[in-house]
């Protein structure tokens, strides 16, 4: 096998027919390839796309430098439905966390600030996503089983064969139109299990500008985190 000039973190072999290159948020290269494709051929393909890989790795590294861990201090910004709200630490508040023009976090909840925010986001995600699922399900006459809110970091949504719709709580940080796209995407999977032309045609019927929301998630998905 020839030496590679691009480091591959992992090769995942599946029943797919083509090769796919993915640069993760931590700038690592994942290769998805057919079972019958040997390591040398994979290395040659990766080498041919070296400039693209290096560009994506540089972008990921730049994002990571900008995205510092939350400190949960006064004035820090937190996303909700695509907008940043400042955080205020307050003394007298019965609720651990509430949003009224800004996020108000009780000082008593400060030692568990991250967990408090996540639970708040999960509760709001279930409320808002349930509302949007019902809205679009009625438009298409679709029936689903139940809605689950998950801790998934990269998989924004999924649809099970039992008709369960799963969504990451992180979606509640995104603009409503982006959240709606993921809702529509998973609802359409109730009818179309793959991503063939019929699937995208049905998505487009409900959201003609869906491609822009896919692009938003690709560029900004890393922001939907704590």
């Amino acid at each position: 096998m020839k030496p590679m000039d691009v480091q591959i973190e992992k090769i995942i072999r599946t029943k797919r027919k083509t090769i796919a290159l993915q640069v993760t948020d931590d700038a690592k290269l994942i290769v998805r390839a057919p079972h019958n494709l040997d390591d040398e051929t994979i290395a040659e393909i990766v080498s041919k796309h070296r400039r693209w890989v290096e560009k994506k790795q540089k972008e990921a590294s730049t994002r990571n430098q900008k995205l510092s861990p939350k400190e949960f201090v006064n004035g820090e910004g937190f996303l909700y439905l695509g907008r940043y709200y400042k955080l205020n630490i307050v003394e007298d508040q019965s609720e651990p966390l509430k949003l009224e023009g800004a996020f108000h976090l009780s000082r008593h909840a400060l030692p568990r600030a991250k967990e408090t925010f996540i639970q708040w986001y999960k509760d709001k995600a279930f409320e808002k996503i349930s509302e949007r699922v019902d809205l679009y399900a009625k438009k298409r006459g679709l029936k689903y089983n139940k809605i689950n809110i998950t801790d998934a970091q990269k998989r924004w949504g999924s649809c099970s064969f039992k008709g369960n719709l799963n969504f990451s709580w992180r979606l509640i940080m995104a603009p409503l139109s982006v959240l709606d796209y993921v809702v529509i995407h998973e609802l359409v999977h109730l009818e179309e299990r793959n991503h063939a032309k019929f699937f995208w045609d049905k998505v487009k019927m409900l959201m003609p500008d869906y491609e822009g929301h896919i692009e938003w998630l690709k560029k900004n998905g890393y922001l939907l985190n704590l």
Side-chain angles (χ1 to χ4, degrees):
M1 180 176 176
K2 297 178 182 178
M4 288 183 293
D5 51 5
V6 178
Q7 180 66 41
I8 296 176
E9 178 69 19
K10 185 190 295 184
I11 297 175
I12 301 173
R13 287 186 166 83
T14 65
K15 293 180 180 179
R16 63 180 301 124
K17 296 180 180 180
T18 58
I19 191 170
L21 308 182
Q22 174 194 358
V23 175
T24 63
D25 284 348
D26 54 356
K28 293 178 180 177
L29 176 62
I30 307 295
V31 178
R32 301 179 189 277
H35 286 295
N36 61 353
L37 203 63
D38 60 79
D39 288 353
E40 186 172 358
T41 302
I42 290 173
E44 289 175 355
I45 293 171
V46 169
S47 183
K48 288 179 182 178
H49 292 84
R50 175 178 178 172
R51 294 181 70 177
W52 179 87
V53 171
E54 289 178 343
K55 177 187 175 185
K56 293 298 180 182
Q57 288 177 328
K58 184 176 180 181
E59 289 175 358
S61 297
T62 301
R63 286 199 303 264
N64 289 338
Q65 289 171 10
K66 293 179 180 178
L67 190 63
S68 56
K70 295 294 186 183
E71 298 178 7
F72 301 97
V73 295
N74 279 315
E76 191 172 20
F78 288 82
L79 277 169
Y80 176 65
L81 291 177
R83 178 183 166 189
Y84 278 100
Y85 294 87
K86 289 185 177 181
L87 175 64
N88 293 325
I89 310 298
V90 297
E91 300 294 338
D92 300 317
Q93 181 174 289
S94 57
E95 300 171 66
L97 179 67
K98 65 181 180 180
L99 177 60
E100 290 181 352
F103 277 109
H104 301 279
L105 177 69
S106 168
R107 189 170 295 279
H108 295 294
L110 195 54
R112 290 177 52 81
K114 183 172 182 178
E115 293 83 357
T116 300
F117 259 92
I118 289 174
Q119 188 57 56
W120 188 91
Y121 278 134
K122 283 182 175 180
D123 292 343
K124 294 302 180 182
F126 184 78
E127 291 175 15
K128 181 59 67 174
I129 289 173
S130 296
E131 170 194 308
R132 307 310 283 181
V133 167
D134 287 342
L135 172 67
Y136 289 106
K138 287 177 182 176
K139 286 186 177 183
R140 285 288 302 172
L142 297 170
K143 301 291 184 182
Y144 64 93
N145 186 23
K146 64 178 180 178
I147 295 169
N148 299 311
I149 302 300
T150 74
D151 290 310
Q153 292 190 16
K154 301 301 171 193
R155 193 170 191 182
W156 307 116
S158 62
C159 174
S160 76
F161 282 99
K162 292 182 178 179
N164 296 329
L165 303 176
N166 308 300
F167 300 95
S168 170
W169 62 262
R170 292 169 172 81
L171 276 173
I172 199 64
M173 296 182 179
L176 183 60
S177 58
V178 174
L179 184 153
D180 279 354
Y181 159 69
V182 179
V183 164
I184 290 168
H185 186 115
E186 301 312 330
L187 276 171
V188 173
H189 272 314
L190 293 169
E191 292 184 318
E192 303 290 339
R193 288 293 171 181
N194 56 35
H195 291 109
K197 185 177 183 299
F198 284 129
F199 171 84
W200 293 113
D201 286 347
K202 290 181 178 181
V203 170
K204 192 168 186 176
M205 286 174 63
L206 287 167
M207 180 170 274
D209 59 345
Y210 74 89
E211 291 176 334
H213 304 311
I214 295 175
E215 192 63 24
W216 191 96
L217 280 170
K218 286 180 179 178
K219 290 183 177 179
N220 303 290
Y222 74 98
L223 294 172
L224 311 183
N225 213 337
L226 286 179

